[in-house]
Amino acid sequence: MRELRLLFTCTQRFRLCPSLYLSSADTRAAIFHVCCRHYEGGSMCEEQTVSLVDVLEEDEELEEEASAVLAGSDSDHCSYPLGYVKRQALYACNTCTPKGGEAAGVCLACSYKCHEGHELFELYTKRNFRCDCGNRKFSDLQCKLQPEKDDINSLNKYSHNFFGVYCTCRRPYPDPDDPVEDEMIQCVVCEDWLHSRHLGCVVPDCVELQEMICEACMKRSPVLWVYAAHLAAAGPEEPKEEGPGAEEITAKSENHEKDVTEPSCKRSHEEAEPSCRLKELQAGGQKRVQSGAVFWPSGWRSKLCSCASCQLMLSEAGLSFLLDEADTVLEYENKGKTREREQPGTDPLMSALDNLSRVQQLEIIHGYNDMKTDLKDFLQRFAAEGKVVTSEDIRQFFEQQSSKRRRMDAGTFSCS
């Protein structure tokens, strides 16, 4: 099941790229040059040499991106005994907890072992979550991996994502009724996924290297606007007030920000820390229009003030995780990629392909190219009918492929 989940995750990211796409599990070793001939209108064009190196590099990157989400979590053991896991891959089961009931999330292992064949919503990753599988919210299901669980995990946080809808528009993804092809970006605070056109701002280049905080979360924590004016990606600047009342307005604004950043407990001036980075930023007076989502560059969390007062303030706002750079999805994915690379064992296909001739290698490439086309057609039928692809469907597909191969081999033998 893990390989199947990886296949679909990778296929979803691939998005029907026109270049040749082969399963890296079977072609990682095929780093050689393919000499091929192109035909146009029945006539032979000049011979060209096509390198598979670029194809394989892209393939490796796609597999790493897809597997990193899964490899960062345990696919064999329920994560419940670990408590509220710092970050893990999560799923919601529409079969067991449909809309109208209580929201619930299950870990990667339970999605395989306890919910195989069910309609699952992939939630990507969530922070500080404890697996719900088999607890009170699942009236007709007991967890096969960890039967003994509390009735409820009171510290878990849920959203509309757990019922298969996302963004401020509360639509599913992919959305069959949406004619606009639009990427979705996850807010690092509420962890909802939002369409780029619903962010209220221009999405910067290299967005995959940045973190995003949606407008709703920014407005719930006004202190973030202070940091945004200095640390975030360039945004619209706040127009300066002019006229006789400008100084009074500025003073009120600064006093408001000061009220926001002060902790609830009373501290004398002498007790305050000698250096508070947030207060230094406030003293700079730099402003930013407080609207739209905000994109933050890599490493921005390390620049947040971590003095005792600011730690308390962030804790009261439920934002303590922002001071932890290991909380990021990027860090989680890097951990998953490292775990994948450190797994022992060698690819048996590497040794096999080394002993094949160029003609045999070409036959393998053509064979997998045909299988890629068949698999695409196979999956598109399910997508068109809105059906869930089960492990049994995949098994039947490969049985058909095996039968097709046997017929081809028999035909080749008869002609020889």
Side-chain angles (χ1 to χ4, degrees), residues 71-84:
S73 299
D74 191 334
S75 60
D76 297 316
H77 304 92
C78 177
S79 64
Y80 181 85
L82 302 178
Y84 294 87

Side-chain angles (χ1 to χ4, degrees), residues 58 85 89 95 127 146 151 162 200 236 271 301 311 382 393:
E58 180 183 12
V85 180
T95 303
R127 70 168 61 86
Q146 190 69 33
D151 287 343
F162 288 79
E271 293 175 331
R301 297 191 187 207
Q311 287 188 44
F382 283 86
D393 295 323

Side-chain angles (χ1 to χ4, degrees), residues 280-327:
E280 292 175 0
L281 296 178
Q282 288 175 331
Q286 188 171 334
K287 304 292 181 180
R288 177 187 175 118
V289 174
Q290 298 184 9
S291 66
V294 176
F295 285 84
W296 307 77
S298 177
W300 72 280
R301 297 191 187 207
S302 64
K303 299 177 182 178
L304 300 179
C305 182
S306 58
C307 71
S309 297
C310 286
Q311 287 188 44
L312 178 59
M313 174 197 63
L314 290 175
S315 177
E316 291 176 344
L319 299 175
S320 295
F321 59 86
L322 291 179
L323 295 175
D324 181 9
E325 292 188 79
D327 166 80

Side-chain angles (χ1 to χ4, degrees), residues 152-366:
I152 193 171
N153 297 312
S154 59
L155 299 183
N156 282 353
K157 294 183 179 180
Y158 306 93
S159 70
H160 51 277
N161 291 175
F162 288 79
F163 296 110
V165 292
Y166 310 88
C167 190
T168 55
C169 62
R170 298 294 198 274
R171 296 294 301 169
Y173 182 82
D175 188 349
D177 299 324
D178 187 358
V180 180
E181 292 187 7
D182 193 3
E183 65 178 333
M184 301 195 78
I185 303 174
Q186 189 179 36
C187 172
V188 300
V189 175
C190 66
E191 297 190 298
D192 188 12
W193 290 85
L194 293 91
H195 294 100
S196 62
R197 66 184 186 272
H198 295 156
L199 293 178
C201 69
V202 177
V203 177
D205 296 332
C206 301
V207 65
E208 66 276 5
L209 300 179
Q210 304 186 40
E211 291 189 296
M212 183 273 289
I213 299 180
C214 69
E215 182 177 12
C217 290
M218 291 293 297
K219 290 185 174 180
R220 278 193 290 268
S221 304
V223 67
L224 293 175
W225 291 111
V226 180
Y227 284 117
H230 298 267
L231 305 179
E237 294 184 357
E238 185 176 88
K240 294 183 178 180
E241 296 284 349
E242 296 182 358
E247 292 183 2
E248 181 180 353
I249 293 174
T250 302
K252 289 181 178 180
S253 176
E254 291 177 351
N255 289 334
H256 173 71
E257 289 176 356
K258 182 177 180 181
D259 292 340
V260 171
T261 58
E262 286 292 333
S264 59
C265 61
K266 295 182 180 180
R267 297 175 59 90
S268 66
H269 179 72
E270 291 76 18
E271 293 175 331
E273 288 77 7
S275 177
C276 175
R277 189 174 304 172
L278 178 60
K279 292 181 179 179
E280 292 175 0
L281 296 178
Q282 288 175 331
Q286 188 171 334
K287 304 292 181 180
R288 177 187 175 118
V289 174
Q290 298 184 9
S291 66
V294 176
F295 285 84
W296 307 77
S298 177
W300 72 280
R301 297 191 187 207
S302 64
K303 299 177 182 178
L304 300 179
C305 182
S306 58
C307 71
S309 297
C310 286
Q311 287 188 44
L312 178 59
M313 174 197 63
L314 290 175
S315 177
E316 291 176 344
L319 299 175
S320 295
F321 59 86
L322 291 179
L323 295 175
D324 181 9
E325 292 188 79
D327 166 80
T328 65
V329 173
L330 181 61
E331 181 69 20
Y332 169 85
E333 290 186 343
N334 287 337
K335 181 179 71 173
K337 292 177 183 179
T338 300
R339 183 180 298 178
E340 282 284 280
R341 287 192 294 266
E342 291 177 349
Q343 285 184 346
T346 58
D347 191 341
L349 188 64
M350 177 69 77
S351 300
L353 285 180
D354 285 342
N355 298 320
L356 295 180
S357 68
R358 184 175 66 83
V359 174
Q360 291 172 316
Q361 291 172 342
L362 280 172
E363 289 177 349
I364 290 176
I365 296 300
H366 288 308

Side-chain angles (χ1 to χ4, degrees), residues 408-416:
M408 293 176 62
D409 291 342
T412 302
F413 180 78
S414 299
C415 295
S416 58

